[in-house]
Amino acid sequence: MSKKRKSHYHADMLSVEEAREKILSVFNKLEEISVNLEDSLGYVISKDVVSKINVPPWNNSAMDGYAVLLKDVKKASNDNIVYLNVIEEIAAGNMPKKSISLGQASRIMTGAPVPDGANAVVPFEDTDENQSKSKEKIGIKIDVVDFENIRKCGEDISEGDKVITKGTEITPAVVGVLASIGYDQIEVYRKPKVGILSTGNELIEPGEKLEKGKIYNSNSSTIASLTEQYGGETISQTHSEDTIEDLEKKLYNFHDVDLIVTSAGVSKGDYDVVKDVLNKNGDMNFWSVNMRPAKPLAFGQIVIKDKKIPLIGLPGNPVSAMIAFEKFGRYAIDKMSGKKIKHRPIIKATLTEDIHNYDGRRLYARVKVSKEDSKIIATPLKNQSSGVLTSMFLSNGLAICPSGTDILKKDQKIDVEMFGWNEDISEILN
Ligand code: AMP
Ligand code: MG
């Protein structure tokens, strides 16, 4: 960590939670739309889903075997084989034509509807099917209990059940359940459209030739990728110059979005014009948030073609932009999508080196969490500069140093917020 600065408390700053609350207060769930089942993954259900059918729709066999009457096979065993007359064969997809009476059995396949009368299925391996030459007779070698190897009508879902409640995010298993009750159109909340614009005279786009004094615009791609990952749809612009005119011109293309996310131009430098544009065209809050990285944050609503659109102005440093978007943008997207508020999981880990917190803000230090001899350890990345973007994929969590705490000490157990964009943390936790 770099040079020491004096530690002091910032009473005029908003906490991360206060800033988030203020931001979230201007967002609501978006309107409901209907999507095809095959496109529904990732959306959030907007109306309770009630099943119109039983699943399974009828009693069906859980095994390949013989549908029998309990009474008939009560005393059956290897030494006392009970012979039954086979009256039909039932394949999956067909309905039985005959009901079972005493002394009878039907050959039945897995998934096929169980014939009336039958109250258990004896698997092939518990019969003499392999040894017997006759197809008309089957020898049963075991006793079974009521409904053995029968999947009962409605045992998964009953007609009239509220199967999925509104607010549920559609995962592959939810898609499967919706399909199992025959739904092909699903009522969901629309996904938010997010307009993304980086500002800065120094920016050129990836693919262009690097010119003197310029840097590649990484924020637009990072924020767009995060937006997609969080379930938003992106409408990206390249970048704008640090002038009010160019910024206004580029923002004008975002008249149709639900959220605008800009990067840079929110510090105290000469060319920091995001604030000016917000002030001129809407209402603007400029906040110092009690966090590090990402202290400066602009937030407001900007009027574009008579529509008021919320705007989050992220700081320009790539790490700050990413962490601020994770802390504020992600929640806004979730709220608009109808999702429940989801904080990142916080785990306890033993710190391998001291982390200094020089100015008393809440520090989110990038760490690599790993497992060493069944102990969960957190190793801080050497370079915690907010310009070092590689640290974001080399780390997998943010160690939290509370506001006002000057140091987290080596060997101390600390809280680490695991972020979702790099790896499955279950590997570490198991
Ligand atoms: P600013 O907020 O304009 O003072 O920018 C802070 C730092 O972030 C400066 O070093 C910028 O060059 C850098 N920066 C700003 N925008 C981007 C961007 N889109 N991609 C990568 N770096 C950026
Ligand atoms: Mg700048």
Side-chain angles (χ1 to χ4, degrees):
M1 299 235 157
S2 55
K3 290 188 298 285
K4 289 202 177 186
R5 258 177 268 148
K6 210 171 160 267
S7 178
H8 53 94
Y9 183 66
H10 306 266
D12 54 334
M13 287 187 178
L14 289 180
S15 70
V16 172
E17 290 70 26
E18 285 164 344
R20 182 186 298 145
E21 204 172 300
K22 282 179 189 283
I23 289 173
L24 287 184
S25 71
V26 312
F27 291 96
N28 289 306
K29 282 180 215 160
L30 298 175
E31 64 274 23
E32 297 173 34
I33 56 164
S34 183
V35 290
N36 291 327
L37 178 67
E38 66 263 32
D39 303 322
S40 67
L41 187 68
Y43 281 92
V44 176
I45 303 260
S46 63
K47 277 200 183 72
D48 293 343
V49 175
V50 175
S51 180
K52 297 190 186 83
I53 60 164
N54 290 309
V55 180
W58 27 71
N59 292 343
N60 71 94
S61 180
M63 299 289 279
D64 296 325
Y66 286 84
V68 299
L69 284 173
L70 284 183
K71 270 192 214 155
D72 276 333
V73 301
K74 214 169 200 142
K75 297 211 166 73
S77 71
N78 265 325
D79 306 322
N80 180 35
I81 298 178
V82 171
Y83 291 92
L84 301 170
N85 293 321
V86 180
I87 57 168
E88 71 168 326
E89 185 169 308
I90 311 155
N94 292 340
M95 285 306 284
K97 294 193 186 66
K98 297 173 181 168
S99 58
I100 309 272
S101 308
L102 276 178
Q104 296 182 330
S106 282
R107 196 165 186 266
I108 190 167
M109 302 304 136
T110 304
V114 174
D116 286 345
N119 39 22
V121 170
V122 177
F124 285 161
E125 47 274 34
D126 297 313
T127 69
D128 71 348
E129 189 175 85
N130 277 341
Q131 297 89 51
S132 166
K133 287 178 192 76
S134 158
K135 285 205 158 184
E136 280 87 59
K137 282 214 174 294
I138 189 69
I140 305 291
K141 298 178 176 178
I142 56 155
D143 179 16
V144 280
V145 297
D146 201 15
F147 274 90
E148 189 160 336
N149 299 318
I150 292 179
R151 303 188 280 222
K152 282 190 185 163
C153 170
E155 78 173 25
D156 185 0
I157 297 164
S158 294
E159 187 184 328
D161 273 359
K162 194 195 282 179
V163 190
I164 304 164
T165 49
K166 82 180 208 187
T168 303
E169 204 173 324
I170 302 183
T171 60
V174 172
V175 173
V177 169
L178 289 165
S180 80
I181 55 174
Y183 275 66
D184 69 336
Q185 291 287 310
I186 321 297
E187 304 296 311
V188 296
Y189 298 106
R190 180 169 70 72
K191 287 187 178 179
K193 282 185 253 171
V194 181
I196 294 161
L197 178 63
S198 293
T199 69
N201 288 343
E202 72 274 42
L203 301 177
I204 59 165
E205 294 301 312
E208 292 176 358
K209 193 169 175 296
L210 192 61
E211 294 163 28
K212 288 221 166 82
K214 306 280 179 178
I215 58 165
Y216 286 118
N217 172 10
S218 63
N219 285 348
S220 288
S221 317
T222 316
I223 302 307
S225 310
L226 287 174
T227 299
E228 298 278 335
Q229 202 173 66
Y230 299 155
E233 285 167 4
T234 57
I235 297 174
S236 282
Q237 286 285 308
T238 50
H239 60 265
S240 87
E241 299 288 310
D242 288 318
T243 62
I244 291 179
E245 297 70 34
D246 196 40
L247 186 51
E248 281 179 341
K249 196 175 102 195
K250 300 268 162 66
L251 285 173
Y252 202 67
N253 294 314
F254 290 146
H255 56 89
D256 197 25
V257 303
D258 304 296
L259 165 66
I260 296 170
V261 181
T262 63
S263 89
V266 292
S267 315
K268 298 196 180 90
D270 290 347
Y271 299 93
D272 292 331
V273 293
V274 170
K275 292 176 286 183
D276 301 336
V277 169
L278 254 179
N279 262 331
K280 192 177 146 203
N281 298 282
D283 56 84
M284 113 98 185
N285 296 293
F286 181 66
W287 299 329
S288 284
V289 183
N290 188 5
M291 66 189 283
R292 181 188 169 92
K295 179 172 75 167
L297 189 78
F299 178 69
Q301 306 209 63
I302 184 165
V303 178
I304 304 176
K305 288 194 186 168
D306 293 335
K307 206 182 146 200
K308 232 181 179 187
I309 301 173
L311 184 150
I312 300 178
L314 303 171
N317 274 309
V319 173
S320 311
M322 214 173 159
I323 291 180
F325 189 67
E326 156 70 15
K327 290 277 159 212
F328 307 112
R330 178 170 74 85
Y331 288 79
I333 290 174
D334 277 1
K335 185 164 180 193
M336 284 188 278
S337 319
K339 290 181 193 166
K340 296 170 187 110
I341 294 282
K342 281 179 296 187
H343 298 295
R344 297 288 182 197
I346 290 180
I347 64 167
K348 294 271 179 210
T350 304
L351 197 58
T352 61
E353 280 165 47
D354 292 351
I355 293 177
H356 293 273
N357 189 9
Y358 294 115
D359 68 357
R361 280 184 263 164
R362 180 190 297 170
L363 175 69
Y364 292 108
R366 280 144 276 161
V367 295
K368 173 78 182 174
V369 176
S370 58
K371 215 170 177 181
E372 208 179 69
D373 304 328
S374 76
K375 192 166 144 194
I376 299 172
I377 57 170
T379 308
L381 271 81
K382 287 269 170 297
N383 193 337
Q384 294 279 339
S385 154
S386 53
V388 176
L389 191 51
T390 47
S391 65
M392 290 307 279
F393 76 80
L394 296 173
S395 59
N396 56 4
L398 298 172
I400 304 169
C401 181
S403 172
T405 301
D406 292 337
I407 186 168
L408 294 177
K409 283 205 159 302
K410 180 177 188 287
D411 294 328
Q412 190 181 336
K413 272 214 164 156
I414 56 154
D415 283 339
V416 182
E417 194 173 283
M418 301 303 291
F419 43 66
W421 51 72
N422 286 339
E423 60 187 88
D424 183 1
I425 62 163
S426 61
E427 263 182 45
I428 298 159
L429 299 178
N430 288 325

